[in-house]
Coordinates of all heavy atoms in Angstrom, one line a residue:
W462 N 32.8 20.9 -14.8 CA 31.7 21.9 -15.1 C 30.4 21.7 -14.4 O 29.7 22.6 -14.0 CB 31.4 21.8 -16.6 CG 32.6 22.2 -17.5 CD1 33.1 21.4 -18.5 CD2 33.3 23.5 -17.5 NE1 34.2 22.0 -19.1 CE2 34.4 23.3 -18.6 CE3 33.2 24.5 -16.6 CZ2 35.3 24.4 -18.7 CZ3 34.2 25.6 -16.9 CH2 35.1 25.5 -17.9
R465 N 31.3 23.1 -10.9 CA 31.3 24.6 -11.0 C 29.9 25.3 -11.3 O 29.7 26.3 -10.6 CB 32.2 25.0 -12.3 CG 32.4 26.5 -12.6 CD 33.3 26.8 -13.7 NE 33.4 28.1 -14.1 CZ 34.0 29.1 -13.5 NH1 34.8 28.7 -12.5 NH2 34.1 30.3 -14.0
S492 N 39.0 39.3 -13.9 CA 38.5 37.9 -13.3 C 37.3 37.4 -14.0 O 36.3 37.9 -13.9 CB 38.1 38.1 -11.8 OG 37.6 36.9 -11.4
G493 N 37.6 36.3 -14.7 CA 36.5 35.5 -15.3 C 35.5 35.0 -14.3 O 34.3 35.1 -14.5
D494 N 36.0 34.4 -13.2 CA 35.2 33.8 -12.3 C 34.3 34.9 -11.6 O 33.1 34.7 -11.3 CB 36.1 33.2 -11.1 CG 36.7 31.9 -11.5 OD1 36.3 31.4 -12.6 OD2 37.5 31.3 -10.8
G495 N 34.9 36.1 -11.4 CA 34.0 37.1 -10.8 C 33.0 37.6 -11.7 O 31.8 37.9 -11.4
A496 N 33.3 37.6 -13.1 CA 32.3 38.0 -14.0 C 31.1 37.0 -14.0 O 30.1 37.4 -14.2 CB 33.0 38.2 -15.4
V497 N 31.5 35.7 -14.0 CA 30.5 34.7 -14.1 C 29.6 34.7 -12.9 O 28.4 34.6 -13.0 CB 31.1 33.3 -14.2 CG1 30.0 32.2 -14.2 CG2 31.8 33.2 -15.5
L498 N 30.3 34.9 -11.7 CA 29.4 35.0 -10.5 C 28.5 36.2 -10.5 O 27.3 36.1 -10.1 CB 30.3 35.0 -9.3 CG 29.7 35.0 -7.9 CD1 28.9 33.7 -7.8 CD2 30.7 35.2 -6.7
L499 N 28.9 37.3 -11.0 CA 28.1 38.6 -11.1 C 27.0 38.2 -12.1 O 25.8 38.6 -11.9 CB 28.9 39.7 -11.5 CG 28.1 41.0 -11.7 CD1 27.3 41.4 -10.5 CD2 29.0 42.2 -12.2
A500 N 27.2 37.6 -13.2 CA 26.2 37.3 -14.2 C 25.1 36.4 -13.6 O 23.8 36.8 -13.8 CB 26.8 36.7 -15.4
L501 N 25.5 35.4 -12.9 CA 24.5 34.4 -12.2 C 23.7 35.1 -11.2 O 22.5 34.9 -11.0 CB 25.2 33.1 -11.8 CG 25.3 32.1 -12.8 CD1 23.9 31.4 -13.1 CD2 26.0 32.4 -14.1
A517 N 20.8 41.2 -17.1 CA 21.3 39.8 -16.8 C 21.8 39.2 -18.0 O 22.9 38.5 -18.0 CB 20.2 38.9 -16.0
R518 N 21.1 39.3 -19.0 CA 21.6 38.6 -20.3 C 22.9 39.3 -20.8 O 23.8 38.5 -21.1 CB 20.5 38.8 -21.4 CG 19.2 38.0 -21.2 CD 18.4 38.1 -22.5 NE 17.2 37.2 -22.2 CZ 16.0 37.6 -21.8 NH1 15.8 38.9 -21.4 NH2 14.9 36.7 -21.6
E519 N 22.9 40.5 -20.7 CA 24.2 41.2 -21.1 C 25.3 40.7 -20.2 O 26.5 40.6 -20.6 CB 24.1 42.8 -20.9 CG 23.1 43.4 -22.0 CD 22.8 44.8 -21.7 OE1 23.3 45.4 -20.7 OE2 21.8 45.3 -22.4
A520 N 25.1 40.6 -18.9 CA 26.1 40.2 -17.9 C 26.6 38.7 -18.3 O 27.9 38.5 -18.3 CB 25.7 40.2 -16.5
C521 N 25.8 37.9 -18.6 CA 26.1 36.5 -19.1 C 26.9 36.6 -20.4 O 27.8 35.8 -20.4 CB 24.8 35.8 -19.3 SG 24.0 35.3 -17.7
H522 N 26.5 37.3 -21.3 CA 27.3 37.4 -22.6 C 28.6 38.0 -22.4 O 29.7 37.6 -22.9 CB 26.5 38.3 -23.7 CG 25.4 37.5 -24.3 ND1 25.6 36.4 -25.0 CD2 24.0 37.7 -24.2 CE1 24.3 36.0 -25.5 NE2 23.4 36.8 -25.0
R523 N 28.8 39.0 -21.4 CA 30.1 39.5 -21.1 C 31.0 38.4 -20.5 O 32.2 38.3 -20.9 CB 30.0 40.7 -20.2 CG 29.5 41.9 -20.8 CD 29.9 43.2 -19.9 NE 29.2 43.1 -18.5 CZ 28.0 43.6 -18.5 NH1 27.2 44.1 -19.4 NH2 27.4 43.5 -17.2
A524 N 30.4 37.7 -19.6 CA 31.1 36.6 -18.8 C 31.5 35.5 -19.9 O 32.6 34.9 -19.9 CB 30.3 35.9 -17.8
A525 N 30.6 35.2 -20.9 CA 30.9 34.2 -21.9 C 32.1 34.6 -22.8 O 32.9 33.9 -23.2 CB 29.6 33.9 -22.7
T526 N 32.2 36.0 -23.0 CA 33.3 36.5 -23.8 C 34.6 36.3 -23.1 O 35.7 35.9 -23.6 CB 33.0 37.9 -24.1 OG1 31.8 38.1 -24.9 CG2 34.2 38.6 -25.0
V527 N 34.6 36.5 -21.8 CA 35.9 36.4 -20.9 C 36.2 35.0 -20.9 O 37.5 34.7 -20.9 CB 35.6 37.1 -19.5 CG1 36.8 36.8 -18.7 CG2 35.3 38.5 -19.7
L528 N 35.3 34.1 -20.7 CA 35.6 32.6 -20.5 C 34.8 31.8 -21.7 O 33.8 31.2 -21.4 CB 35.2 32.2 -19.1 CG 35.9 32.7 -18.0 CD1 35.4 32.3 -16.7 CD2 37.4 32.4 -18.0
P529 N 35.4 31.8 -22.8 CA 34.6 31.2 -23.9 C 34.4 29.8 -23.8 O 33.4 29.2 -24.4 CB 35.4 31.6 -25.1 CG 36.8 31.8 -24.6 CD 36.6 32.5 -23.3
A530 N 35.2 29.0 -23.0 CA 35.0 27.6 -23.0 C 34.0 27.2 -21.8 O 33.7 25.9 -21.8 CB 36.3 26.9 -22.7
D531 N 33.7 28.2 -21.0 CA 32.9 27.9 -19.8 C 31.4 27.8 -20.1 O 30.8 28.7 -20.6 CB 33.1 29.0 -18.7 CG 32.5 28.7 -17.4 OD1 31.8 27.6 -17.3 OD2 32.7 29.5 -16.5
P532 N 30.7 26.7 -19.9 CA 29.3 26.6 -20.1 C 28.4 27.4 -19.1 O 27.2 27.6 -19.2 CB 29.0 25.2 -20.1 CG 30.0 24.5 -19.2 CD 31.3 25.3 -19.4
T533 N 29.0 27.8 -17.9 CA 28.3 28.3 -16.9 C 27.6 29.7 -17.2 O 26.4 29.9 -16.8 CB 29.1 28.5 -15.5 OG1 30.0 27.4 -15.4 CG2 28.3 28.8 -14.3
P534 N 28.2 30.6 -17.9 CA 27.4 31.8 -18.3 C 26.2 31.5 -19.1 O 25.1 32.0 -19.0 CB 28.3 32.7 -19.2 CG 29.7 32.2 -18.7 CD 29.6 30.8 -18.3
W535 N 26.3 30.4 -20.0 CA 25.2 30.0 -20.8 C 24.2 29.3 -19.9 O 22.9 29.4 -20.2 CB 25.7 29.1 -21.9 CG 26.6 29.8 -22.8 CD1 27.9 29.7 -22.8 CD2 26.2 30.6 -23.9 NE1 28.5 30.6 -23.8 CE2 27.5 31.1 -24.4 CE3 25.0 31.1 -24.4 CZ2 27.4 32.0 -25.6 CZ3 25.0 31.9 -25.5 CH2 26.2 32.4 -26.1
L536 N 24.5 28.7 -18.8 CA 23.6 28.2 -17.9 C 22.8 29.3 -17.3 O 21.5 29.1 -17.1 CB 24.4 27.4 -16.7 CG 23.5 26.8 -15.6 CD1 22.6 25.7 -16.1 CD2 24.4 26.2 -14.5
G537 N 23.5 30.4 -16.9 CA 22.6 31.5 -16.4 C 21.6 31.9 -17.4 O 20.4 32.3 -17.2
L538 N 22.0 32.0 -18.7 CA 21.0 32.4 -19.8 C 20.0 31.4 -19.9 O 18.8 31.7 -20.3 CB 21.8 32.5 -21.2 CG 22.6 33.8 -21.4 CD1 23.5 33.7 -22.5 CD2 21.7 35.0 -21.4
V554 N 20.4 28.4 -26.6 CA 21.2 28.5 -25.4 C 21.6 27.1 -25.0 O 22.9 26.9 -24.7 CB 20.6 29.4 -24.3 CG1 21.3 29.2 -23.0 CG2 20.4 30.8 -24.7
Q557 N 24.4 25.9 -27.0 CA 25.7 26.5 -26.6 C 26.3 25.7 -25.4 O 27.6 25.5 -25.4 CB 25.5 27.9 -26.3 CG 25.2 28.9 -27.4 CD 26.4 29.1 -28.4 OE1 27.5 28.9 -28.0 NE2 26.0 29.6 -29.6
I558 N 25.5 25.3 -24.5 CA 26.0 24.6 -23.4 C 26.5 23.3 -23.8 O 27.7 22.9 -23.4 CB 24.9 24.4 -22.3 CG1 24.6 25.8 -21.7 CG2 25.3 23.5 -21.2 CD1 23.3 25.8 -20.8
R561 N 29.9 23.0 -25.3 CA 31.0 23.2 -24.4 C 31.1 21.9 -23.5 O 32.2 21.5 -23.0 CB 30.8 24.4 -23.6 CG 31.0 25.7 -24.4 CD 30.5 26.9 -23.8 NE 30.9 28.1 -24.6 CZ 30.2 28.5 -25.7 NH1 29.2 27.8 -26.2 NH2 30.6 29.5 -26.3

Side-chain angles (χ1 to χ4, degrees):
W462 299 127
R465 178 175 171 84
S492 171
D494 288 347
V497 175
L498 185 59
L499 176 59
L501 270 290
R518 289 185 178 95
E519 289 170 7
C521 289
H522 283 296
R523 282 197 300 272
T526 300
V527 176
L528 295 175
D531 186 357
T533 315
W535 297 96
L536 177 65
L538 283 168
V554 171
Q557 291 287 341
I558 295 172
R561 289 162 173 79

